[in-house]
Amino acid sequence: MRRRMLFSTLVVTVIAVLLLGLPLGALVYRSAYEDAERTLQQEAEVIAADADAQVENEGGIDREHFAQVYPERLIELQPRGDAQPVRAGGWDYDPDSDDPRPTLDAHTTSPGGIDVRVWQGSGHVQESVFNAWLGIASLSLLAIGVAVGLAMLQARRLTLPLVDLAATAERLGSGVATPWGHRYGIPEADRVAEVLDRSAERIAGLIATERHFATDASHQLRTPLTALTMRLEEIIAEADDPRVVREEGEAALQQAERLTQTVENLLGRARKSQNPEVEQVSIDRVLERFVGEWSPVFEQNGRKLRLIGAKGLSAMTVPMDLTQIMAVLVENASAHGAGTVTVNVIDGGHSVRIEVGDEGEGVPEHLVGRIFDREVSGGEGTGLGLALARHIAESEGARVELVQPKPTVFAVFLPTGGEGLGKDTGPV
């Protein structure tokens, strides 16, 4: 592209220079010769008047006078009635010979009847024309050089953005989805750059969504799988008791259903194909079932999980989302806390607050302000659970906060949906 731009600019410039330079050169040539001939004609008229004065005053023509005054002219004077013309002037030239030297000549007749002819060499006129042509050629070459230089700058200004945009597209194709942010001062190239930057942002968002889905899924599925494994182990251990096998089998089936719901919920959030549809939920039912599922985990570790606080409350939420949020908080207390983990339900009037606390050492001071950031953990955890819990809560109008760092107490704030809805209005 750059070569084609240079070639086309050079062709256009040469054509423009020729269209301007050739007529200008012809005009200079014609003007120079017309000026020289006009000047020589004026000299001939002066010589004719001078010759009339000599003939009248001196009775003849003074050749020496004309030779001194006009050393580079040949003057031929033909007085009236004389058979032979008188030649004067200082230039050695014979008009009757085959002298190849270029000449200019002028002819006039004086008032006294003297026929005057003057010859002059045209070498100085040719030299003047040549110098003018040389100047025109120099200016033409300079114009061509300037045009080529400007064409190179313009070609570079136009091609570099294209090279840069091609590199940006290559980066996007290789998976580097960081917006480049380059602008070039060329509207068309800037529009392409803006489109590529927006595409990079969309691709980065898609990659981040898929990455978050993978990490969130691995984190959220771990707890249901652990509970399912425990139920299956109970079935194996109590294989001789049909009643226990049946109960544990039903519990395992419930865990499998919860696992399926968790997968569907995570996929919906990752694809943004569904928004959570909150409903009036009985807090007692969700928490009693949740504590019943998690109590065996704590008993195996020699710890306790207890549920206290107000009863008969309801709030606007999604049961599966609330279960996932509580699972994150309780698992966090199990992994990083100590002693008994308490789930406390508090009636806040227009909201229901569910606190999850333990008897451990609490959250380190340097993590208090960043505890909900992704990949921030006070121990060997992934640092994903609390960030995911807050994200799930905010998606349905709830909040998750750290209300007390030592000992650790997290709280889930659920909206009740209006006045009078804080109390349980019936089964859900």
Side-chain angles (χ1 to χ4, degrees):
M1 178 178 178
R2 184 178 300 182
R3 187 180 297 109
R4 289 196 295 269
M5 290 183 65
L6 290 176
F7 179 75
S8 61
T9 302
L10 181 61
V11 170
V12 171
T13 305
V14 169
I15 293 175
V17 166
L18 290 177
L19 291 177
L20 180 63
L22 291 179
L24 182 60
L27 180 61
V28 167
Y29 178 87
R30 180 177 177 181
S31 298
Y33 272 90
E34 287 181 352
D35 290 344
E37 290 175 352
R38 188 180 305 108
T39 301
L40 189 61
Q41 183 66 32
Q42 293 174 353
E43 290 183 355
E45 293 175 357
V46 172
I47 291 172
D50 196 5
D52 280 345
Q54 290 180 4
V55 170
E56 182 178 354
N57 296 329
E58 301 176 5
I61 296 175
D62 187 357
R63 295 183 180 181
E64 295 298 330
H65 169 75
F66 289 113
Q68 291 178 0
V69 177
Y70 303 100
E72 297 180 358
R73 309 285 189 274
L74 173 63
I75 303 170
E76 184 178 86
L77 304 168
Q78 179 71 47
R80 184 180 300 174
D82 291 350
Q84 293 295 329
V86 176
R87 289 187 177 179
W91 187 38
D92 183 15
Y93 175 76
D94 185 1
D96 299 328
S97 66
D98 295 330
D99 195 330
R101 287 179 294 179
T103 60
L104 298 172
D105 66 277
H107 175 265
T108 187
T109 301
S110 68
I114 301 176
D115 192 29
V116 179
R117 297 195 65 185
V118 182
W119 287 270
Q120 176 188 12
S122 61
H124 68 288
V125 181
Q126 292 180 345
E127 183 179 357
S128 176
V129 172
F130 177 77
N131 291 334
W133 284 358
L134 185 62
I136 293 173
S138 300
L139 292 176
S140 300
L141 293 177
L142 178 61
I144 293 174
V146 170
V148 171
L150 293 176
M152 293 178 64
L153 292 176
Q154 188 69 7
R156 184 175 182 274
R157 182 171 179 264
L158 293 177
T159 55
L160 284 183
L162 297 180
V163 174
D164 197 25
L165 292 174
T168 302
E170 180 65 25
R171 287 173 58 252
L172 289 179
S174 63
V176 181
T178 304
W180 198 242
H182 285 187
R183 297 295 181 268
Y184 313 98
I186 302 173
E188 293 79 6
D190 288 346
R191 282 197 293 271
V192 175
E194 290 174 1
V195 171
L196 288 177
D197 284 349
R198 287 197 297 269
S199 299
E201 292 175 356
R202 287 194 293 268
I203 293 173
L206 292 175
I207 293 174
T209 300
E210 295 298 328
R211 185 182 296 115
H212 290 167
F213 168 73
T215 55
D216 294 346
S218 64
H219 183 276
Q220 291 301 96
L221 296 180
R222 181 176 58 189
T223 300
L225 287 174
T226 301
L228 182 60
T229 302
M230 291 175 57
R231 297 298 182 182
L232 294 176
E233 290 176 350
E234 290 290 336
I235 293 175
I236 295 173
E238 303 293 338
D240 296 335
D241 190 343
R243 183 180 60 81
V244 175
V245 170
R246 181 178 180 84
E247 291 177 354
E248 294 298 332
E250 291 176 352
L253 182 59
Q254 291 178 359
Q255 292 296 335
E257 292 176 352
R258 177 185 170 191
L259 184 63
T260 302
Q261 292 177 355
T262 302
V263 172
E264 292 177 352
N265 184 272
L266 289 171
L267 283 173
R269 292 182 183 277
R271 296 171 181 172
K272 297 181 180 179
S273 59
Q274 65 182 41
N275 295 319
E277 296 182 0
V278 297
E279 56 183 318
Q280 198 76 18
V281 174
S282 172
I283 301 300
D284 292 346
R285 295 190 179 189
V286 175
L287 294 183
E288 287 173 0
R289 184 174 61 182
F290 173 79
V291 172
E293 293 175 354
W294 273 85
S295 292
V297 177
F298 281 84
E299 291 174 359
Q300 283 188 347
N301 297 327
R303 299 172 63 183
K304 293 182 179 181
L305 174 64
R306 63 174 183 165
L307 174 62
I308 63 174
K311 299 295 183 179
L313 299 180
S314 63
M316 300 298 294
T317 184
V318 179
M320 176 55 65
D321 287 351
L322 179 57
T323 301
Q324 289 190 52
I325 295 170
M326 295 301 299
V328 169
L329 299 181
V330 170
E331 184 181 14
N332 185 74
S334 174
H336 303 290
T340 300
V341 177
T342 302
V343 178
N344 186 18
V345 181
I346 301 173
D347 184 2
H350 296 293
S351 68
V352 175
R353 185 166 79 249
I354 305 174
E355 295 183 349
V356 178
D358 62 77
E359 299 172 350
E361 296 180 357
V363 180
E365 292 184 3
H366 68 281
L367 292 180
V368 171
R370 302 187 299 122
I371 194 66
F372 289 101
D373 294 345
R374 292 184 70 88
E375 301 181 0
V376 174
S377 175
E380 297 180 355
T382 61
L384 299 174
L386 292 176
L388 179 59
R390 171 169 278 189
H391 173 70
I392 295 174
E394 290 177 348
S395 68
E396 57 185 55
R399 292 186 296 119
V400 176
E401 301 290 345
L402 175 64
V403 296
Q404 181 176 304
K406 294 183 180 181
T408 304
V409 177
F410 287 96
V412 183
F413 296 87
L414 301 173
T416 60
E419 294 187 9
L421 296 178
K423 299 294 182 180
D424 191 359
T425 57
V428 176

